[in-house]
Amino acid sequence: MRPQIVLFGDSITEQSFRSAGWGAALADTYSRKADVVNRGYGGYNTRWALFLLHQLFPLLYLQDSTKPPVAATIFFGANDAALLGRTSERQHVPVEEYKENLRKIVNHLKECSPTMLVVLITPPPIDEAGRKEYAQSVYGEKATELPERTNEVTELYAKQCIALAKEMGLRSIDLWSKMQETEGWQKKFLSDGLHPTPEGNAMVYQEVIRVFYEAWLSAGEMPYDFPHHSEIDGKNPENAFHQQCL
Amino acid sequence: MRPQIVLFGDSITEQSFRSAGWGAALADTYSRKADVVNRGYGGYNTRWALFLLHQLFPLLYLQDSTKPPVAATIFFGANDAALLGRTSERQHVPVEEYKENLRKIVNHLKECSPTMLVVLITPPPIDEAGRKEYAQSVYGEKATELPERTNEVTELYAKQCIALAKEMGLRSIDLWSKMQETEGWQKKFLSDGLHPTPEGNAMVYQEVIRVFYEAWLSAGEMPYDFPHHSEIDGKNPENAFHQQCL
């Protein structure tokens, strides 16, 4: 009954309902107005995401009497940008393919619903020192000296994400650039050099809300799914509910 | 595709996706396994909740190819227990009717799906001093001296909630009693004498998880909706996804 907003992405999306997470904050903002559905898949890159597409977003929406989402965030790239020849190379996807995979995802969503608001989000920047500390905390002395991701390479992915959004006329969030505008972004916004801290989550939330509002998907403008309790007459509650059905 | 867990209740449910909220924590625990759907309606009592029942939980589930929820929490009573003749009397529902309304809600859910795990949650205790401070902070000198809720009256509702669970063979959470087992519960668990603090939210979460696990709805036992990334062969990703379909 309520419109759906789907968050599709990797671990930064999957973990977005943790305390102070950006997904939970969105769910709270759209409370009683839209359902925020988490479709985050930790460790996934865009190549693997393609395998999920038809099941997560079936083309049968209209036949099936269920409605397609009104909006979706597409937030991949952090794993695609893992370097070849390093510990996370299994997740690597070449940047050209990353861009084309994103295009396929967008095309599929637009086929489900041409009016769906699709927002592309770039991967966050990489704090290489933070990644190294994290690897040492997990693997101890066995941690390799060479980083599995670099900020320089991740930038290439972020740029292609933004370029695709421009090509396709989509709204986008350049998280890679936005985070780096703040001094000390490495520790302020990233907990392990990659995943957002509570402050990083707050930035992702604010950016998504800003873009949603610019696209008129403003919670303030959307109706409650049932009367607000203050509109219910204690003696004749049925009046409020009948009105709702008109 | 994923099973649904519905949280049906009043403001304590509606606000459960705020930072450190019990609903968001549940959503995170069941991440990639079940969707936690918030159907909290601030200010609602059980009488008003009945107006929503058929729309929120349609009996047409099977005809419609959509599946009914696997579990639901029913968490009302804080507003039903508002006192007659006080500022929130509009929300008051007599305790006998509260119990019968809960019974109607449960019967409807069981009609939707006899196997649905239905968990009744009592209202939390009331810290009358906390309610008074809250009223003064909002209304200043205009705040009435007399409390709109008392812990004594709310206890009657909590007891009927637990009694109904026993009658109907349902699992339940006696939040009213549980919170009061801890010294200083008034400020530790309640922010305004009624709504839970982060620690109060943590208690609600732990109690719900405990009951879900006792009923075998354990996230650890449930399958991921798609392969975990560690099971995906970087060179032949399709293998993992084909396996999933077998």
Side-chain angles (χ1 to χ4, degrees):
Chain A
M1 202 166 44
R2 291 188 201 175
Q4 281 195 340
I5 297 169
V6 177
L7 315 181
F8 187 36
D10 54 31
S11 56
I12 303 174
T13 297
E14 185 180 329
Q15 297 170 9
S16 69
F17 279 68
R18 292 192 179 169
S19 192
W22 64 277
L26 280 175
D28 187 55
T29 298
Y30 286 91
S31 157
R32 296 204 41 198
K33 300 184 170 181
D35 283 325
V36 175
V37 180
N38 189 336
R39 290 294 176 264
Y41 294 85
Y44 273 55
N45 55 34
T46 53
R47 190 188 287 167
W48 303 344
L50 292 179
F51 286 100
L52 318 183
L53 213 47
H54 280 262
Q55 285 185 68
L56 294 185
F57 305 96
L59 289 175
L60 295 169
Y61 275 120
L62 293 175
Q63 290 176 35
D64 210 19
S65 84
T66 54
K67 286 187 181 161
V70 293
T73 56
I74 313 292
F75 191 175
F76 285 99
N79 297 315
D80 301 62
L83 300 177
L84 279 175
R86 306 285 169 83
T87 50
S88 300
E89 76 168 342
R90 202 171 51 87
Q91 293 163 295
H92 169 79
V93 171
V95 67
E96 302 78 15
E97 184 189 333
Y98 163 73
K99 184 180 180 185
E100 291 316 305
N101 290 343
L102 281 183
R103 191 193 304 275
K104 285 177 189 167
I105 293 170
V106 174
N107 280 335
H108 180 80
L109 294 184
K110 289 291 189 183
E111 204 179 337
C112 287
S113 164
T115 59
M116 195 188 306
L117 170 62
V118 177
V119 177
L120 296 185
I121 309 178
T122 74
I126 299 294
D127 168 32
E128 289 161 40
R131 292 307 289 160
K132 200 167 169 178
E133 286 158 30
Y134 169 74
Q136 283 167 345
S137 75
V138 176
Y139 304 105
E141 286 181 6
K142 288 183 189 162
T144 56
E145 280 298 306
L146 296 168
E148 23 70 271
R149 291 167 172 88
T150 64
N151 199 34
E152 204 181 346
V153 167
T154 296
E155 180 182 15
L156 303 175
Y157 289 74
K159 290 229 178 310
Q160 287 309 312
C161 175
I162 298 299
L164 182 73
K166 283 200 180 125
E167 275 176 44
M168 299 187 84
L170 300 172
R171 293 175 195 268
S172 62
I173 296 168
D174 186 353
L175 194 63
W176 188 88
S177 299
K178 179 79 188 165
M179 282 192 168
Q180 292 180 84
E181 286 171 9
T182 300
E183 198 162 345
W185 58 270
Q186 293 91 337
K187 302 294 178 247
K188 186 179 176 74
F189 293 134
L190 303 172
S191 65
D192 59 1
L194 172 60
H195 295 92
T197 58
E199 276 174 299
N201 269 285
M203 174 182 278
V204 178
Y205 164 74
Q206 282 151 11
E207 288 296 301
V208 173
I209 278 289
R210 180 181 61 71
V211 171
F212 278 5
Y213 278 41
E214 283 171 10
W216 303 96
L217 189 69
S218 152
E221 307 282 329
M222 295 166 79
Y224 281 109
D225 65 342
F226 287 104
H228 189 270
H229 79 87
S230 62
E231 292 164 12
I232 304 173
D233 177 351
K235 295 211 175 68
N236 300 292
E238 62 281 6
N239 291 352
F241 294 95
H242 286 164
Q243 275 190 341
Q244 192 77 0
C245 300
L246 291 179
Chain B
M1 202 166 43
R2 290 187 201 176
Q4 280 196 340
I5 297 169
V6 177
L7 314 181
F8 187 37
D10 53 31
S11 56
I12 303 174
T13 298
E14 184 180 329
Q15 297 170 9
S16 69
F17 280 67
R18 293 192 179 170
S19 192
W22 64 278
L26 280 176
D28 188 54
T29 298
Y30 287 90
S31 156
R32 295 204 41 198
K33 300 186 169 179
D35 284 325
V36 175
V37 180
N38 189 337
R39 290 293 177 268
Y41 294 86
Y44 273 56
N45 53 34
T46 54
R47 191 186 287 168
W48 303 344
L50 292 180
F51 286 101
L52 318 183
L53 214 47
H54 280 262
Q55 284 186 69
L56 294 186
F57 304 95
L59 289 175
L60 294 169
Y61 275 120
L62 293 174
Q63 290 177 35
D64 208 19
S65 85
T66 54
K67 287 189 180 157
V70 292
T73 56
I74 314 294
F75 192 175
F76 285 100
N79 298 315
D80 301 63
L83 300 177
L84 279 175
R86 305 286 168 83
T87 49
S88 300
E89 74 167 343
R90 202 171 54 86
Q91 292 163 294
H92 170 78
V93 171
V95 68
E96 302 77 15
E97 184 190 333
Y98 163 72
K99 186 180 179 185
E100 292 315 305
N101 290 342
L102 281 184
R103 190 192 304 276
K104 286 177 189 167
I105 293 170
V106 174
N107 281 334
H108 180 80
L109 294 184
K110 289 292 187 180
E111 201 179 342
C112 285
S113 163
T115 61
M116 193 189 306
L117 169 63
V118 177
V119 178
L120 297 185
I121 309 178
T122 75
I126 298 295
D127 168 31
E128 289 160 41
R131 292 307 290 160
K132 199 167 170 178
E133 286 159 28
Y134 170 74
Q136 283 168 345
S137 76
V138 176
Y139 304 107
E141 288 180 6
K142 286 184 191 162
T144 57
E145 279 298 305
L146 295 168
E148 23 69 274
R149 290 167 173 88
T150 65
N151 199 33
E152 204 181 346
V153 167
T154 296
E155 181 182 12
L156 304 175
Y157 289 75
K159 290 231 179 305
Q160 288 309 311
C161 175
I162 298 300
L164 182 74
K166 283 199 181 129
E167 275 175 45
M168 300 186 83
L170 300 171
R171 292 174 196 268
S172 61
I173 296 168
D174 186 354
L175 195 63
W176 188 88
S177 299
K178 181 80 189 162
M179 282 191 168
Q180 293 181 83
E181 286 171 10
T182 299
E183 199 163 346
W185 59 269
Q186 293 89 340
K187 302 295 177 243
K188 185 179 176 73
F189 294 134
L190 302 172
S191 65
D192 58 1
L194 171 61
H195 295 92
T197 58
E199 277 174 297
N201 269 284
M203 174 181 280
V204 178
Y205 164 75
Q206 282 152 10
E207 288 296 302
V208 173
I209 278 289
R210 181 181 60 72
V211 171
F212 278 5
Y213 278 40
E214 284 171 8
W216 303 96
L217 190 70
S218 152
E221 308 283 329
M222 295 167 78
Y224 281 109
D225 66 341
F226 287 103
H228 189 268
H229 78 87
S230 62
E231 293 163 12
I232 305 173
D233 176 351
K235 296 211 173 68
N236 300 293
E238 60 282 4
N239 291 351
F241 294 95
H242 287 165
Q243 276 189 340
Q244 191 78 359
C245 299
L246 290 180

